[in-house]
Structure formats: structure tokens, C-alpha cells
Amino acid sequence: MLLLEPGRAGPAWRALAQDLPRPRAILAVSAHWNTRAPAVSAAAQPETIHDFYGFPQALYELAYPAPGAPDLAAEVAELVPGIQIDSERGLDHGAWSPLRAVYPAADIPAIQLAVMPQADAEAHYRLGKMLRPLTQRGVLVLASGGLTHNLRDMVADAADGEVLPYVAEFRDWLVDALEQHDLAALLDWRRQAPHAARAHPSAEHLLPLYVALGAAGEDATARTAYRDAQLGALALDAFVFDAGQEQTQP
């Protein structure tokens, strides 16, 4: 709904395009493509996938006709041995929603990388590390998910920015660990983060962050690009990982 009712998030997303170097291509890591093994899309002209139900018709009429990047998919395959290549998959809303806000012209080639809910944070961090050379070749790794994501806890009348107490505690812990680059704690978030199971009943909305973290490199610094929340339970924070001229963004 941020595309129809952008609130404060829409302008903040658009500002990211001014803050980041223009990439030659985008590898979007979406919480909404789940596989058991690493997978990358390679469609030459990805379709806009409307993988949601019960929303206003206007959302289903939106399109994001960015070109695909089969050549980038081939680069990914060289870096990740055995990765599955899907030559037909388009861009799901975990990819095209932020991309439409950040790069509305849809003129930058984009493909997707799947997450593996059965695998842990460390597996996704290692996957990101394998992709690190891409950040040195002008590729933006855009990780899309949610800092917290418990739909059962949503509060319909919560003011924008207002969060439930456990959301604030989880968010503060994770942001501090990112800023301190406490990798051991970040990889063990399920045990160490307060209210981890409630903040993420399933992990797929947090796993993209670990791909970006790995791709950014061990010396990368994390900075908060945007901080907000909606419906009490959905933290919308966005971060940029800076490593010299190489950047990845969840």
C-alpha cells in the first residue's frame, strides 16, 4: 500500500536514489521468493508479479517494466556454484514495490535472488559473501523484507511510527548490532535478540538483510537511511551498507 499511500516512506525511498551511485544493474533479494536451494532469475523482460490478494484494484494495475539482466544472472551463477537459474520468473512485489519507488523510470536492469527459509542467517550471509564481487562491478544488492514482520500483531489504528514495546526492543537490539558490526550476535539473532520469535514468526522477511550484509564485506559500515513503522508491528527501517565505493542496501 506504500505505493498508493506513500506517507513518509515513499519520499524516503525516493531519496535513496539520490544518495546511492546509479547502478548498472540491480540484484533484488526478496522475502517473497522462497526456495530450498539458491536460485536467481534470468528473464530478459521480467513480468510484474502481483502476488497479493484483497487489495485495491489500483495496485493490480501497476507495472514495473524494467529490463531483465540475463548477463547478471550468469555472473551470479559463476560466483555461486550450483545455483538454480529461473529464466521465466518475473519481479514479485518484494522487488518491484521498492524499485518502483526508488527508480520509477524502470530503466535499470533488474533480476531477483531467492531466500531459503529452511536455511539460517549464516547460510544467507555466506551466500552474500559469494556475491561480493558484484558490488565492485556496479551492481546494487537491494534486500527487501521487514525489520519486524508479525501480521497477527498489527494494530489497525496505530499512528505511523508508533510501535508495540517488543518491536522497539527487537529493533533497538538489531540496529545496535548492525552499527557495532557484531556479526556473532547478528548471526545468532534467533537466540540473542529480544522477542525474536514474535518479531519474526518465520524468518523470510529478515533473511534478505543477511545477503546484503555478506555482500557488503567485513569492513562495511551500516547506517540508517530511514526509520519508521506502520500498524504497530511492522518496522520499516532501511539501511545502507557502505564499503568505499561499493554499496548494498536492504
Side-chain angles (χ1 to χ4, degrees):
M1 286 300 292
L2 289 172
L3 293 176
L4 299 183
E5 301 171 1
R8 295 178 295 195
W13 282 0
R14 287 193 295 273
L16 281 174
Q18 307 301 318
D19 185 51
L20 298 172
R22 180 178 172 86
R24 72 169 176 91
I26 298 167
L27 180 63
V29 190
S30 169
H32 292 275
W33 186 17
N34 297 168
T35 58
R36 298 192 67 88
V40 65
S41 68
Q45 191 61 56
E47 67 170 320
T48 303
I49 303 174
H50 298 88
D51 53 333
F52 43 81
Y53 307 94
F55 287 86
Q57 180 60 32
L59 273 179
Y60 301 95
E61 296 172 357
L62 296 179
Y64 191 74
D71 56 337
L72 176 56
E75 290 181 66
V76 172
E78 290 179 358
L79 297 170
V80 184
I83 194 170
Q84 300 172 1
I85 299 177
D86 189 328
S87 60
E88 297 183 359
R89 184 177 177 84
L91 300 175
D92 61 48
H93 82 274
W96 66 261
S97 290
L99 286 174
R100 201 174 192 274
V102 179
Y103 299 110
D107 57 353
I108 301 175
I111 60 173
Q112 279 196 228
L113 187 78
V115 296
M116 302 166 288
Q118 294 82 7
D120 60 10
E122 185 172 358
H124 288 81
Y125 177 75
R126 292 198 304 267
L127 177 60
K129 287 182 69 175
M130 286 188 275
L131 299 171
R132 176 159 170 70
L134 298 178
T135 69
Q136 301 166 320
R137 304 172 191 168
V139 175
L140 173 67
V141 178
L142 187 144
S144 165
L147 193 62
T148 61
H149 193 267
N150 188 334
L151 301 184
R152 293 182 178 179
D153 281 350
M154 292 190 303
V155 181
D157 59 351
D160 286 355
E162 180 182 349
V163 296
L164 297 170
Y166 84 87
V167 172
E169 292 181 35
F170 180 88
R171 166 200 262 168
D172 289 346
W173 181 92
L174 193 65
V175 171
D176 182 68
L178 281 173
E179 292 178 347
Q180 298 299 322
H181 203 80
D182 188 345
L183 187 59
L186 289 166
L187 295 181
D188 195 30
W189 71 277
R190 271 295 190 197
R191 291 197 305 170
Q192 296 192 32
H195 315 290
R198 189 175 179 187
H200 288 279
S202 56
E204 69 277 357
H205 277 80
L206 191 61
L207 293 175
L209 180 145
Y210 288 95
V211 179
L213 182 64
E218 295 181 1
D219 297 328
T221 58
R223 57 185 174 90
T224 298
Y226 174 64
R227 181 183 177 95
D228 201 6
Q230 286 190 346
L231 301 173
L234 305 180
L236 303 178
D237 304 50
F239 309 96
V240 173
F241 297 136
D242 291 319
Q245 296 300 311
E246 306 126 33
Q247 299 188 348
T248 60
Q249 181 253 319

